[in-house]
Amino acid sequence: MTEFPPAQGLSARARPARVALAPALAACLALAGPLLPLTSAAQAQTTAESATELIAELAQIEAELAALEARFAETPTPVEAALRDALRLSQTLLRNRQLALDGAAPLEATTPALTPDPARADRLMVEMARARARIATAERELRAADGLIATMVQSRLETERLTLAGLRMGWLSAKYGISFPMLAPAPTTPGAAPQPDTAPAASASAPAPSETAADTGPPVWADPEHPEIDYRLAPFELAHATAHQISGWWTIETGRAAVDDSPEVTAINYSAYDPRDLTGLTALVARCTEGETALIYVQDDYLIPDLRRNSFDVTLRIGTQAARSLRWSGLTTNKGAGVFGEEAEEMIRAIYDAGQVFLRITERNGRTHDALFSLAGQTAAFEAVANACGFTTVVLSSDDYHQIQALLNTAGFEAGKPDGQWGPGSRRAMRAFQQSQDLPQTGAPDRASLDVLGFGG
């Protein structure tokens, strides 16, 4: 890869800065159509306020870049390399913007010109502040953590830094009309949600950035059960780098809660992931944290909830079933909505065998956000969450529970008088049975335990 120019101070203005792009990035730019010099966008706003903001942001980028390069050795991780490239590109284009504001010679770096969007820039500025706060929190946690917890926090920290870099790119585009070259084409795998036409599309014959003549097959982390999925997407590469499980469209992270050492699982579905979106990601998350189950629709934009209840109207369609209207709780980040506890467990059971699920969030102002998620690989994801939180993914009636209690009693594991209610006694009996069979001791009538117990056979 051709390196970006090394970091220099703001005083180095004798000649225009250049953007030295890797061949893949240059190819993406060539596909973008007619190119306009940055001066066309740079001359749109020349206020003192814009110049001050630009200088402050450039100083922040250079500080982050210096700290990053001081942290990693000659061989950075994929996340570190992506973050470095994003920071260097932002740094160089901001320097060009600074030169334009100062009336320097015509710029030699060119990208497609965009129309500034001040309202979006303001929203992204808020998101950048939140991302910096999350980074500061993760840095404090990392200093106090060790072992597995430290590894998890480090992974979260690097991801947040990369998220901040993406938010900054989006802010620069909205604030100054700077367009960044796309690092990868949008996913075209069947099941992925249709994406808005927000960036130039690469031709079908154009290789992905990571593709070389010697790399024509799937990456080593690809799930062989799903050859239809493009596993070169950044989330899967990151999951591999951080030793998370990959199943279909899902990445599965496991760990222990810091508060009580209870099992934690976070499964993320990336079938609606769009690498062109610099503001965040769209994903479906199934999670168990400190014994509570959650199913969350994460959206890439800032959402306006019903302020009285901090909730959203959600339209849900499972497979080919009729759509239904629900009410989901808003997230504290205002970037999505979800269901929690028993409601989340019921929802996971409802979509367990589905091929896809459509979700629409409706904001208080009527604006909607749609995503169509392919659920391929969900068995491993949902079972991991269910085992961690101790619930079953099987839809069971009172009569089913009555039969399971009778089977446990017959097998010598006292569940009490069968009454169809799954209480503490039934959980203790099931745990004892699971222990005898070397199964995860969840206390819930999960699929593996019911199979060994002979239920429904």
Side-chain angles (χ1 to χ4, degrees), residues 191-196 269-274 277 281-285 296-301 303 314-319 328 335-337 355-362 368-375:
Q195 302 298 334
N269 181 297
Y270 288 105
S271 62
Y273 171 76
D274 183 359
D277 192 336
L281 61 84
T282 298
L284 183 65
V285 179
I296 301 168
Y297 171 21
V298 178
Q299 221 288 323
D300 64 356
D301 204 355
L303 307 178
V314 171
T315 301
L316 169 77
R317 189 182 188 198
I318 303 172
W328 283 20
K335 300 278 282 191
Q356 64 182 31
V357 61
F358 169 84
L359 285 165
R360 167 178 291 166
I361 288 180
T362 302
T368 61
H369 305 266
D370 297 353
L372 178 64
F373 295 99
S374 168
L375 298 179

mmCIF file of all heavy atoms in Angstrom, residues 191-196 269-274 277 281-285 296-301 303 314-319 328 335-337 355-362 368-375:
data_model
loop_
_atom_site.group_PDB
_atom_site.id
_atom_site.type_symbol
_atom_site.label_atom_id
_atom_site.label_comp_id
_atom_site.label_asym_id
_atom_site.label_seq_id
_atom_site.Cartn_x
_atom_site.Cartn_y
_atom_site.Cartn_z
ATOM 1 N N GLY A 191 -30.443 -11.526 0.911
ATOM 2 C CA GLY A 191 -30.875 -11.406 2.304
ATOM 3 C C GLY A 191 -30.488 -10.098 2.918
ATOM 4 O O GLY A 191 -31.038 -9.699 3.929
ATOM 5 N N ALA A 192 -29.505 -9.418 2.336
ATOM 6 C CA ALA A 192 -29.118 -8.119 2.877
ATOM 7 C C ALA A 192 -30.168 -7.087 2.518
ATOM 8 O O ALA A 192 -30.804 -7.161 1.472
ATOM 9 C CB ALA A 192 -27.746 -7.698 2.313
ATOM 10 N N ALA A 193 -30.347 -6.124 3.416
ATOM 11 C CA ALA A 193 -31.371 -5.111 3.191
ATOM 12 C C ALA A 193 -30.976 -4.189 2.059
ATOM 13 O O ALA A 193 -29.804 -3.881 1.873
ATOM 14 C CB ALA A 193 -31.575 -4.291 4.472
ATOM 15 N N PRO A 194 -31.936 -3.724 1.260
ATOM 16 C CA PRO A 194 -31.615 -2.736 0.237
ATOM 17 C C PRO A 194 -31.048 -1.488 0.876
ATOM 18 O O PRO A 194 -31.512 -1.050 1.919
ATOM 19 C CB PRO A 194 -32.979 -2.456 -0.420
ATOM 20 C CG PRO A 194 -33.842 -3.616 -0.059
ATOM 21 C CD PRO A 194 -33.349 -4.079 1.279
ATOM 22 N N GLN A 195 -30.020 -0.899 0.244
ATOM 23 C CA GLN A 195 -29.354 0.251 0.818
ATOM 24 C C GLN A 195 -29.640 1.491 -0.010
ATOM 25 O O GLN A 195 -29.755 1.425 -1.237
ATOM 26 C CB GLN A 195 -27.837 0.029 0.886
ATOM 27 C CG GLN A 195 -27.451 -1.195 1.697
ATOM 28 C CD GLN A 195 -27.882 -1.080 3.143
ATOM 29 O OE1 GLN A 195 -28.038 0.013 3.678
ATOM 30 N NE2 GLN A 195 -28.105 -2.212 3.789
ATOM 31 N N PRO A 196 -29.739 2.665 0.609
ATOM 32 C CA PRO A 196 -29.986 3.888 -0.139
ATOM 33 C C PRO A 196 -28.803 4.241 -1.026
ATOM 34 O O PRO A 196 -27.672 3.887 -0.734
ATOM 35 C CB PRO A 196 -30.178 4.939 0.959
ATOM 36 C CG PRO A 196 -29.453 4.384 2.139
ATOM 37 C CD PRO A 196 -29.611 2.899 2.039
ATOM 38 N N ASN A 269 -26.004 -9.478 14.272
ATOM 39 C CA ASN A 269 -26.303 -9.841 12.893
ATOM 40 C C ASN A 269 -25.947 -8.665 11.989
ATOM 41 O O ASN A 269 -26.466 -7.556 12.148
ATOM 42 C CB ASN A 269 -27.790 -10.183 12.767
ATOM 43 C CG ASN A 269 -28.177 -10.594 11.353
ATOM 44 O OD1 ASN A 269 -28.074 -9.815 10.412
ATOM 45 N ND2 ASN A 269 -28.646 -11.818 11.209
ATOM 46 N N TYR A 270 -25.059 -8.913 11.002
ATOM 47 C CA TYR A 270 -24.553 -7.855 10.135
ATOM 48 C C TYR A 270 -25.113 -7.938 8.711
ATOM 49 O O TYR A 270 -24.524 -7.367 7.788
ATOM 50 C CB TYR A 270 -23.031 -7.913 10.072
ATOM 51 C CG TYR A 270 -22.351 -7.464 11.343
ATOM 52 C CD1 TYR A 270 -21.786 -8.378 12.220
ATOM 53 C CD2 TYR A 270 -22.276 -6.114 11.666
ATOM 54 C CE1 TYR A 270 -21.162 -7.960 13.389
ATOM 55 C CE2 TYR A 270 -21.654 -5.684 12.826
ATOM 56 C CZ TYR A 270 -21.093 -6.619 13.686
ATOM 57 O OH TYR A 270 -20.475 -6.198 14.833
ATOM 58 N N SER A 271 -26.237 -8.598 8.498
ATOM 59 C CA SER A 271 -26.733 -8.760 7.130
ATOM 60 C C SER A 271 -27.205 -7.445 6.528
ATOM 61 O O SER A 271 -27.344 -7.338 5.306
ATOM 62 C CB SER A 271 -27.872 -9.790 7.094
ATOM 63 O OG SER A 271 -28.972 -9.375 7.878
ATOM 64 N N ALA A 272 -27.474 -6.423 7.352
ATOM 65 C CA ALA A 272 -27.859 -5.104 6.830
ATOM 66 C C ALA A 272 -26.707 -4.108 6.927
ATOM 67 O O ALA A 272 -26.914 -2.903 6.791
ATOM 68 C CB ALA A 272 -29.083 -4.576 7.575
ATOM 69 N N TYR A 273 -25.506 -4.601 7.155
ATOM 70 C CA TYR A 273 -24.338 -3.734 7.280
ATOM 71 C C TYR A 273 -24.005 -3.076 5.946
ATOM 72 O O TYR A 273 -23.983 -3.732 4.898
ATOM 73 C CB TYR A 273 -23.139 -4.561 7.761
ATOM 74 C CG TYR A 273 -21.814 -3.831 7.734
ATOM 75 C CD1 TYR A 273 -21.509 -2.892 8.698
ATOM 76 C CD2 TYR A 273 -20.870 -4.101 6.743
ATOM 77 C CE1 TYR A 273 -20.287 -2.222 8.685
ATOM 78 C CE2 TYR A 273 -19.644 -3.448 6.720
ATOM 79 C CZ TYR A 273 -19.366 -2.508 7.691
ATOM 80 O OH TYR A 273 -18.164 -1.854 7.671
ATOM 81 N N ASP A 274 -23.750 -1.784 5.973
ATOM 82 C CA ASP A 274 -23.390 -1.030 4.772
ATOM 83 C C ASP A 274 -22.050 -0.345 5.000
ATOM 84 O O ASP A 274 -21.959 0.612 5.767
ATOM 85 C CB ASP A 274 -24.463 0.017 4.468
ATOM 86 C CG ASP A 274 -24.181 0.794 3.181
ATOM 87 O OD1 ASP A 274 -23.138 0.528 2.542
ATOM 88 O OD2 ASP A 274 -25.007 1.650 2.816
ATOM 89 N N ASP A 277 -21.691 3.546 4.910
ATOM 90 C CA ASP A 277 -22.286 4.433 5.910
ATOM 91 C C ASP A 277 -21.241 4.792 6.944
ATOM 92 O O ASP A 277 -20.783 3.930 7.709
ATOM 93 C CB ASP A 277 -23.475 3.739 6.570
ATOM 94 C CG ASP A 277 -24.323 4.689 7.395
ATOM 95 O OD1 ASP A 277 -23.789 5.739 7.830
ATOM 96 O OD2 ASP A 277 -25.507 4.391 7.611
ATOM 97 N N LEU A 281 -23.687 1.818 12.211
ATOM 98 C CA LEU A 281 -24.089 0.597 11.544
ATOM 99 C C LEU A 281 -25.544 0.286 11.844
ATOM 100 O O LEU A 281 -26.141 0.782 12.800
ATOM 101 C CB LEU A 281 -23.190 -0.573 11.946
ATOM 102 C CG LEU A 281 -23.132 -0.998 13.425
ATOM 103 C CD1 LEU A 281 -24.276 -1.935 13.784
ATOM 104 C CD2 LEU A 281 -21.813 -1.682 13.733
ATOM 105 N N THR A 282 -26.132 -0.544 10.981
ATOM 106 C CA THR A 282 -27.456 -1.090 11.200
ATOM 107 C C THR A 282 -27.274 -2.569 11.509
ATOM 108 O O THR A 282 -26.652 -3.290 10.730
ATOM 109 C CB THR A 282 -28.336 -0.905 9.949
ATOM 110 O OG1 THR A 282 -28.484 0.491 9.690
ATOM 111 C CG2 THR A 282 -29.701 -1.524 10.145
ATOM 112 N N ALA A 283 -27.805 -3.028 12.633
ATOM 113 C CA ALA A 283 -27.570 -4.402 13.052
ATOM 114 C C ALA A 283 -28.708 -4.885 13.939
ATOM 115 O O ALA A 283 -29.463 -4.090 14.517
ATOM 116 C CB ALA A 283 -26.238 -4.522 13.800
ATOM 117 N N LEU A 284 -28.823 -6.196 14.046
ATOM 118 C CA LEU A 284 -29.746 -6.839 14.972
ATOM 119 C C LEU A 284 -28.908 -7.520 16.041
ATOM 120 O O LEU A 284 -27.992 -8.282 15.720
ATOM 121 C CB LEU A 284 -30.614 -7.860 14.237
ATOM 122 C CG LEU A 284 -31.691 -8.561 15.062
ATOM 123 C CD1 LEU A 284 -32.750 -7.568 15.533
ATOM 124 C CD2 LEU A 284 -32.343 -9.686 14.266
ATOM 125 N N VAL A 285 -29.191 -7.234 17.308
ATOM 126 C CA VAL A 285 -28.368 -7.723 18.411
ATOM 127 C C VAL A 285 -29.219 -8.573 19.339
ATOM 128 O O VAL A 285 -30.280 -8.143 19.806
ATOM 129 C CB VAL A 285 -27.748 -6.552 19.200
ATOM 130 C CG1 VAL A 285 -26.901 -7.083 20.356
ATOM 131 C CG2 VAL A 285 -26.920 -5.668 18.290
ATOM 132 N N ILE A 296 -32.293 -6.269 20.152
ATOM 133 C CA ILE A 296 -32.168 -4.842 19.865
ATOM 134 C C ILE A 296 -31.962 -4.612 18.372
ATOM 135 O O ILE A 296 -31.155 -5.296 17.730
ATOM 136 C CB ILE A 296 -30.978 -4.230 20.640
ATOM 137 C CG1 ILE A 296 -31.182 -4.425 22.155
ATOM 138 C CG2 ILE A 296 -30.801 -2.765 20.316
ATOM 139 C CD1 ILE A 296 -29.945 -4.117 22.970
ATOM 140 N N TYR A 297 -32.690 -3.659 17.832
ATOM 141 C CA TYR A 297 -32.497 -3.185 16.465
ATOM 142 C C TYR A 297 -31.681 -1.904 16.552
ATOM 143 O O TYR A 297 -32.162 -0.872 16.990
ATOM 144 C CB TYR A 297 -33.861 -2.945 15.816
ATOM 145 C CG TYR A 297 -33.853 -2.251 14.468
ATOM 146 C CD1 TYR A 297 -32.730 -2.216 13.639
ATOM 147 C CD2 TYR A 297 -35.012 -1.639 13.994
ATOM 148 C CE1 TYR A 297 -32.745 -1.586 12.406
ATOM 149 C CE2 TYR A 297 -35.054 -0.995 12.760
ATOM 150 C CZ TYR A 297 -33.919 -0.970 11.970
ATOM 151 O OH TYR A 297 -33.943 -0.332 10.753
ATOM 152 N N VAL A 298 -30.410 -1.984 16.164
ATOM 153 C CA VAL A 298 -29.510 -0.823 16.182
ATOM 154 C C VAL A 298 -29.600 -0.136 14.831
ATOM 155 O O VAL A 298 -29.466 -0.780 13.780
ATOM 156 C CB VAL A 298 -28.059 -1.250 16.467
ATOM 157 C CG1 VAL A 298 -27.135 -0.049 16.432
ATOM 158 C CG2 VAL A 298 -27.976 -1.955 17.805
ATOM 159 N N GLN A 299 -29.820 1.176 14.848
ATOM 160 C CA GLN A 299 -29.976 1.951 13.629
ATOM 161 C C GLN A 299 -28.832 2.950 13.529
ATOM 162 O O GLN A 299 -28.278 3.357 14.530
ATOM 163 C CB GLN A 299 -31.332 2.668 13.664
ATOM 164 C CG GLN A 299 -32.082 2.671 12.336
ATOM 165 C CD GLN A 299 -31.444 3.597 11.340
ATOM 166 O OE1 GLN A 299 -30.963 4.663 11.695
ATOM 167 N NE2 GLN A 299 -31.437 3.207 10.082
ATOM 168 N N ASP A 300 -28.482 3.339 12.299
ATOM 169 C CA ASP A 300 -27.285 4.166 12.106
ATOM 170 C C ASP A 300 -27.542 5.657 12.191
ATOM 171 O O ASP A 300 -26.642 6.444 11.946
ATOM 172 C CB ASP A 300 -26.629 3.835 10.761
ATOM 173 C CG ASP A 300 -27.528 4.171 9.577
ATOM 174 O OD1 ASP A 300 -28.679 4.595 9.815
ATOM 175 O OD2 ASP A 300 -27.091 3.993 8.432
ATOM 176 N N ASP A 301 -28.756 6.068 12.556
ATOM 177 C CA ASP A 301 -29.056 7.486 12.611
ATOM 178 C C ASP A 301 -29.566 7.848 14.003
ATOM 179 O O ASP A 301 -29.988 6.987 14.772
ATOM 180 C CB ASP A 301 -30.116 7.846 11.558
ATOM 181 C CG ASP A 301 -30.067 9.313 11.159
ATOM 182 O OD1 ASP A 301 -29.287 10.059 11.771
ATOM 183 O OD2 ASP A 301 -30.805 9.696 10.231
ATOM 184 N N LEU A 303 -32.245 9.016 16.460
ATOM 185 C CA LEU A 303 -33.694 8.859 16.413
ATOM 186 C C LEU A 303 -34.386 9.713 17.466
ATOM 187 O O LEU A 303 -33.857 9.938 18.561
ATOM 188 C CB LEU A 303 -34.074 7.389 16.637
ATOM 189 C CG LEU A 303 -33.372 6.364 15.722
ATOM 190 C CD1 LEU A 303 -33.814 4.958 16.083
ATOM 191 C CD2 LEU A 303 -33.660 6.664 14.265
ATOM 192 N N VAL A 314 -42.796 0.131 16.317
ATOM 193 C CA VAL A 314 -41.978 -0.771 15.511
ATOM 194 C C VAL A 314 -42.901 -1.686 14.713
ATOM 195 O O VAL A 314 -43.842 -2.260 15.270
ATOM 196 C CB VAL A 314 -41.032 -1.615 16.392
ATOM 197 C CG1 VAL A 314 -40.352 -2.695 15.563
ATOM 198 C CG2 VAL A 314 -39.990 -0.727 17.050
ATOM 199 N N THR A 315 -42.648 -1.796 13.426
ATOM 200 C CA THR A 315 -43.359 -2.748 12.583
ATOM 201 C C THR A 315 -42.464 -3.959 12.383
ATOM 202 O O THR A 315 -41.294 -3.813 12.016
ATOM 203 C CB THR A 315 -43.703 -2.124 11.225
ATOM 204 O OG1 THR A 315 -44.512 -0.960 11.433
ATOM 205 C CG2 THR A 315 -44.464 -3.106 10.354
ATOM 206 N N LEU A 316 -42.994 -5.143 12.638
ATOM 207 C CA LEU A 316 -42.226 -6.389 12.576
ATOM 208 C C LEU A 316 -42.898 -7.342 11.600
ATOM 209 O O LEU A 316 -44.117 -7.542 11.658
ATOM 210 C CB LEU A 316 -42.152 -7.026 13.962
ATOM 211 C CG LEU A 316 -41.610 -8.455 14.041
ATOM 212 C CD1 LEU A 316 -40.100 -8.454 13.910
ATOM 213 C CD2 LEU A 316 -42.016 -9.117 15.352
ATOM 214 N N ARG A 317 -42.107 -7.915 10.716
ATOM 215 C CA ARG A 317 -42.612 -8.981 9.852
ATOM 216 C C ARG A 317 -41.623 -10.128 9.864
ATOM 217 O O ARG A 317 -40.457 -9.976 9.467
ATOM 218 C CB ARG A 317 -42.832 -8.496 8.418
ATOM 219 C CG ARG A 317 -43.559 -9.554 7.582
ATOM 220 C CD ARG A 317 -43.766 -9.141 6.150
ATOM 221 N NE ARG A 317 -44.615 -10.110 5.468
ATOM 222 C CZ ARG A 317 -44.718 -10.228 4.152
ATOM 223 N NH1 ARG A 317 -44.012 -9.427 3.363
ATOM 224 N NH2 ARG A 317 -45.506 -11.135 3.606
ATOM 225 N N ILE A 318 -42.074 -11.288 10.321
ATOM 226 C CA ILE A 318 -41.232 -12.476 10.413
ATOM 227 C C ILE A 318 -41.473 -13.339 9.188
ATOM 228 O O ILE A 318 -42.589 -13.832 8.977
ATOM 229 C CB ILE A 318 -41.541 -13.271 11.693
ATOM 230 C CG1 ILE A 318 -41.356 -12.394 12.932
ATOM 231 C CG2 ILE A 318 -40.669 -14.513 11.769
ATOM 232 C CD1 ILE A 318 -41.833 -13.054 14.213
ATOM 233 N N GLY A 319 -40.446 -13.523 8.376
ATOM 234 C CA GLY A 319 -40.595 -14.319 7.161
ATOM 235 C C GLY A 319 -41.691 -13.768 6.277
ATOM 236 O O GLY A 319 -41.713 -12.590 5.927
ATOM 237 N N TRP A 328 -41.450 -0.760 21.139
ATOM 238 C CA TRP A 328 -40.157 -1.145 21.684
ATOM 239 C C TRP A 328 -39.543 0.031 22.418
ATOM 240 O O TRP A 328 -39.732 1.198 22.036
ATOM 241 C CB TRP A 328 -39.219 -1.595 20.559
ATOM 242 C CG TRP A 328 -39.510 -2.977 20.043
ATOM 243 C CD1 TRP A 328 -40.673 -3.673 20.185
ATOM 244 C CD2 TRP A 328 -38.629 -3.809 19.284
ATOM 245 N NE1 TRP A 328 -40.578 -4.889 19.575
ATOM 246 C CE2 TRP A 328 -39.333 -5.005 19.007
ATOM 247 C CE3 TRP A 328 -37.337 -3.663 18.812
ATOM 248 C CZ2 TRP A 328 -38.763 -6.052 18.274
ATOM 249 C CZ3 TRP A 328 -36.768 -4.692 18.085
ATOM 250 C CH2 TRP A 328 -37.471 -5.878 17.829
ATOM 251 N N LYS A 335 -30.047 5.446 19.237
ATOM 252 C CA LYS A 335 -29.630 4.868 17.966
ATOM 253 C C LYS A 335 -30.358 3.563 17.669
ATOM 254 O O LYS A 335 -29.892 2.760 16.865
ATOM 255 C CB LYS A 335 -28.126 4.620 17.972
ATOM 256 C CG LYS A 335 -27.278 5.853 18.174
ATOM 257 C CD LYS A 335 -27.080 6.629 16.914
ATOM 258 C CE LYS A 335 -26.031 5.961 16.049
ATOM 259 N NZ LYS A 335 -25.626 6.824 14.919
ATOM 260 N N GLY A 336 -31.513 3.344 18.312
ATOM 261 C CA GLY A 336 -32.235 2.115 18.056
ATOM 262 C C GLY A 336 -33.282 1.855 19.108
ATOM 263 O O GLY A 336 -33.595 2.712 19.940
ATOM 264 N N ALA A 337 -33.836 0.639 19.075
ATOM 265 C CA ALA A 337 -34.878 0.253 20.019
ATOM 266 C C ALA A 337 -34.793 -1.244 20.256
ATOM 267 O O ALA A 337 -34.207 -1.988 19.457
ATOM 268 C CB ALA A 337 -36.254 0.636 19.480
ATOM 269 N N GLY A 355 -36.387 -17.367 8.263
ATOM 270 C CA GLY A 355 -35.270 -17.090 7.373
ATOM 271 C C GLY A 355 -34.864 -15.636 7.390
ATOM 272 O O GLY A 355 -33.693 -15.307 7.185
ATOM 273 N N GLN A 356 -35.826 -14.747 7.657
ATOM 274 C CA GLN A 356 -35.528 -13.326 7.682
ATOM 275 C C GLN A 356 -36.550 -12.602 8.539
ATOM 276 O O GLN A 356 -37.630 -13.128 8.835
ATOM 277 C CB GLN A 356 -35.530 -12.737 6.268
ATOM 278 C CG GLN A 356 -36.888 -12.791 5.570
ATOM 279 C CD GLN A 356 -36.843 -12.256 4.151
ATOM 280 O OE1 GLN A 356 -35.828 -12.364 3.458
ATOM 281 N NE2 GLN A 356 -37.935 -11.666 3.693
ATOM 282 N N VAL A 357 -36.207 -11.389 8.934
ATOM 283 C CA VAL A 357 -37.130 -10.553 9.691
ATOM 284 C C VAL A 357 -36.977 -9.112 9.211
ATOM 285 O O VAL A 357 -35.862 -8.628 9.013
ATOM 286 C CB VAL A 357 -36.877 -10.667 11.212
ATOM 287 C CG1 VAL A 357 -35.467 -10.221 11.584
ATOM 288 C CG2 VAL A 357 -37.905 -9.875 11.997
ATOM 289 N N PHE A 358 -38.118 -8.470 8.986
ATOM 290 C CA PHE A 358 -38.149 -7.065 8.586
ATOM 291 C C PHE A 358 -38.527 -6.222 9.793
ATOM 292 O O PHE A 358 -39.453 -6.566 10.541
ATOM 293 C CB PHE A 358 -39.173 -6.854 7.464
ATOM 294 C CG PHE A 358 -39.457 -5.401 7.168
ATOM 295 C CD1 PHE A 358 -38.632 -4.686 6.309
ATOM 296 C CD2 PHE A 358 -40.529 -4.744 7.755
ATOM 297 C CE1 PHE A 358 -38.882 -3.349 6.038
ATOM 298 C CE2 PHE A 358 -40.798 -3.409 7.490
ATOM 299 C CZ PHE A 358 -39.967 -2.712 6.623
ATOM 300 N N LEU A 359 -37.806 -5.109 9.984
ATOM 301 C CA LEU A 359 -38.082 -4.206 11.097
ATOM 302 C C LEU A 359 -38.145 -2.770 10.587
ATOM 303 O O LEU A 359 -37.340 -2.364 9.753
ATOM 304 C CB LEU A 359 -36.988 -4.315 12.171
ATOM 305 C CG LEU A 359 -37.027 -5.567 13.053
ATOM 306 C CD1 LEU A 359 -35.714 -5.728 13.805
ATOM 307 C CD2 LEU A 359 -38.184 -5.501 14.029
ATOM 308 N N ARG A 360 -39.118 -2.042 11.096
ATOM 309 C CA ARG A 360 -39.240 -0.614 10.784
ATOM 310 C C ARG A 360 -39.443 0.157 12.084
ATOM 311 O O ARG A 360 -40.363 -0.128 12.854
ATOM 312 C CB ARG A 360 -40.409 -0.347 9.853
ATOM 313 C CG ARG A 360 -40.782 1.144 9.728
ATOM 314 C CD ARG A 360 -41.919 1.368 8.757
ATOM 315 N NE ARG A 360 -41.475 1.094 7.389
ATOM 316 C CZ ARG A 360 -42.312 0.946 6.358
ATOM 317 N NH1 ARG A 360 -43.619 1.030 6.551
ATOM 318 N NH2 ARG A 360 -41.825 0.693 5.146
ATOM 319 N N ILE A 361 -38.581 1.134 12.316
ATOM 320 C CA ILE A 361 -38.735 2.054 13.449
ATOM 321 C C ILE A 361 -39.377 3.340 12.929
ATOM 322 O O ILE A 361 -38.943 3.888 11.915
ATOM 323 C CB ILE A 361 -37.375 2.372 14.099
ATOM 324 C CG1 ILE A 361 -36.848 1.158 14.866
ATOM 325 C CG2 ILE A 361 -37.491 3.563 15.039
ATOM 326 C CD1 ILE A 361 -35.515 1.402 15.539
ATOM 327 N N THR A 362 -40.403 3.806 13.629
ATOM 328 C CA THR A 362 -41.034 5.075 13.284
ATOM 329 C C THR A 362 -40.754 6.091 14.388
ATOM 330 O O THR A 362 -41.082 5.857 15.552
ATOM 331 C CB THR A 362 -42.553 4.914 13.110
ATOM 332 O OG1 THR A 362 -42.812 3.934 12.094
ATOM 333 C CG2 THR A 362 -43.196 6.237 12.715
ATOM 334 N N THR A 368 -39.286 7.155 9.143
ATOM 335 C CA THR A 368 -39.147 5.714 9.323
ATOM 336 C C THR A 368 -37.750 5.234 8.936
ATOM 337 O O THR A 368 -37.068 5.847 8.111
ATOM 338 C CB THR A 368 -40.186 4.946 8.490
ATOM 339 O OG1 THR A 368 -39.995 5.238 7.099
ATOM 340 C CG2 THR A 368 -41.599 5.321 8.902
ATOM 341 N N HIS A 369 -37.344 4.111 9.521
ATOM 342 C CA HIS A 369 -36.047 3.486 9.248
ATOM 343 C C HIS A 369 -36.281 1.985 9.107
ATOM 344 O O HIS A 369 -36.737 1.335 10.054
ATOM 345 C CB HIS A 369 -35.056 3.762 10.380
ATOM 346 C CG HIS A 369 -34.878 5.222 10.670
ATOM 347 N ND1 HIS A 369 -33.878 5.980 10.102
ATOM 348 C CD2 HIS A 369 -35.586 6.074 11.455
ATOM 349 C CE1 HIS A 369 -33.975 7.225 10.528
ATOM 350 N NE2 HIS A 369 -35.007 7.306 11.352
ATOM 351 N N ASP A 370 -35.976 1.444 7.935
ATOM 352 C CA ASP A 370 -36.256 0.045 7.629
ATOM 353 C C ASP A 370 -34.976 -0.778 7.556
ATOM 354 O O ASP A 370 -33.919 -0.278 7.167
ATOM 355 C CB ASP A 370 -36.975 -0.082 6.289
ATOM 356 C CG ASP A 370 -38.338 0.588 6.285
ATOM 357 O OD1 ASP A 370 -38.791 1.033 7.366
ATOM 358 O OD2 ASP A 370 -38.959 0.654 5.205
ATOM 359 N N ALA A 371 -35.087 -2.050 7.887
ATOM 360 C CA ALA A 371 -33.988 -2.997 7.686
ATOM 361 C C ALA A 371 -34.569 -4.389 7.507
ATOM 362 O O ALA A 371 -35.536 -4.759 8.186
ATOM 363 C CB ALA A 371 -33.017 -2.984 8.855
ATOM 364 N N LEU A 372 -33.998 -5.128 6.584
ATOM 365 C CA LEU A 372 -34.374 -6.519 6.353
ATOM 366 C C LEU A 372 -33.170 -7.380 6.706
ATOM 367 O O LEU A 372 -32.124 -7.285 6.065
ATOM 368 C CB LEU A 372 -34.778 -6.745 4.896
ATOM 369 C CG LEU A 372 -35.159 -8.177 4.513
ATOM 370 C CD1 LEU A 372 -36.413 -8.618 5.264
ATOM 371 C CD2 LEU A 372 -35.369 -8.296 3.005
ATOM 372 N N PHE A 373 -33.293 -8.185 7.752
ATOM 373 C CA PHE A 373 -32.187 -9.001 8.239
ATOM 374 C C PHE A 373 -32.354 -10.454 7.801
ATOM 375 O O PHE A 373 -33.396 -11.069 8.062
ATOM 376 C CB PHE A 373 -32.104 -8.964 9.765
ATOM 377 C CG PHE A 373 -31.779 -7.604 10.326
ATOM 378 C CD1 PHE A 373 -32.785 -6.787 10.816
ATOM 379 C CD2 PHE A 373 -30.476 -7.140 10.364
ATOM 380 C CE1 PHE A 373 -32.504 -5.535 11.340
ATOM 381 C CE2 PHE A 373 -30.187 -5.886 10.867
ATOM 382 C CZ PHE A 373 -31.204 -5.083 11.364
ATOM 383 N N SER A 374 -31.341 -10.984 7.145
ATOM 384 C CA SER A 374 -31.272 -12.428 6.943
ATOM 385 C C SER A 374 -30.797 -13.053 8.253
ATOM 386 O O SER A 374 -29.817 -12.592 8.845
ATOM 387 C CB SER A 374 -30.285 -12.766 5.824
ATOM 388 O OG SER A 374 -30.004 -14.156 5.816
ATOM 389 N N LEU A 375 -31.476 -14.085 8.719
ATOM 390 C CA LEU A 375 -31.144 -14.675 10.019
ATOM 391 C C LEU A 375 -30.232 -15.887 9.898
ATOM 392 O O LEU A 375 -30.043 -16.611 10.874
ATOM 393 C CB LEU A 375 -32.438 -15.068 10.754
ATOM 394 C CG LEU A 375 -33.385 -13.911 11.077
ATOM 395 C CD1 LEU A 375 -34.642 -14.435 11.775
ATOM 396 C CD2 LEU A 375 -32.693 -12.867 11.948
#
